[in-house]
Amino acid sequence: DLSDLPYFSQIQMVVDDLLLGNYKSLNFAFNVDYSDDGENWNLFLTPKNSRISSFIKVVQVSGDVSLLKEIVIDYSNGMEITIDFEVFKEEISDEIQC
């Protein structure tokens, strides 16, 4: 279960804030390196807190001009978690739509 991974909930909080346009917690928790080629972009997030950096090496967030595409969390023990985002191509028929 992802929630059992060390500090995953804090990473999740930063991602949630990012999606809401709040960068304060991102800059507080991580050193941020940004690159783009005009079409695609990458964020490399290195933990500032030594306790977190003992578990997490880097979090890479990538996307293009309109979409968040992927989040990759590289753990210090060699484990890697990749979360891929795709546009949902089916119409949702119930009352909850995203």
Side-chain angles (χ1 to χ4, degrees):
D1 187 17
L2 289 177
S3 61
D4 293 335
L5 294 172
Y7 297 99
F8 185 82
S9 63
Q10 289 163 325
I11 297 295
Q12 184 178 14
M13 178 193 71
V14 171
V15 170
D16 289 345
D17 283 352
L18 250 176
L19 293 173
L20 293 171
N22 179 0
Y23 302 102
K24 187 175 181 177
S25 64
L26 177 74
N27 289 320
F28 179 78
F30 295 95
N31 292 312
V32 179
D33 291 313
Y34 173 81
S35 66
D36 74 71
D37 62 10
E39 215 172 286
N40 298 297
W41 54 267
N42 289 294
L43 286 176
F44 292 92
L45 310 173
T46 308
K48 289 181 179 179
N49 181 304
S50 62
R51 291 182 66 199
I52 294 175
S53 66
S54 70
F55 290 96
I56 296 173
K57 280 198 296 190
V58 66
V59 178
Q60 180 181 352
V61 184
S62 59
D64 62 24
V65 294
S66 62
L67 297 171
L68 172 65
K69 290 185 173 182
E70 182 178 74
I71 298 173
V72 179
I73 304 170
D74 287 325
Y75 284 85
S76 297
N77 67 0
M79 180 184 290
E80 180 180 283
I81 302 294
T82 301
I83 304 167
D84 290 315
F85 297 90
E86 293 184 23
V87 175
F88 195 66
K89 294 181 170 72
E90 294 181 29
E91 188 170 325
I92 300 172
S93 59
D94 66 6
E95 70 276 359
I96 300 174
Q97 296 188 12
C98 300

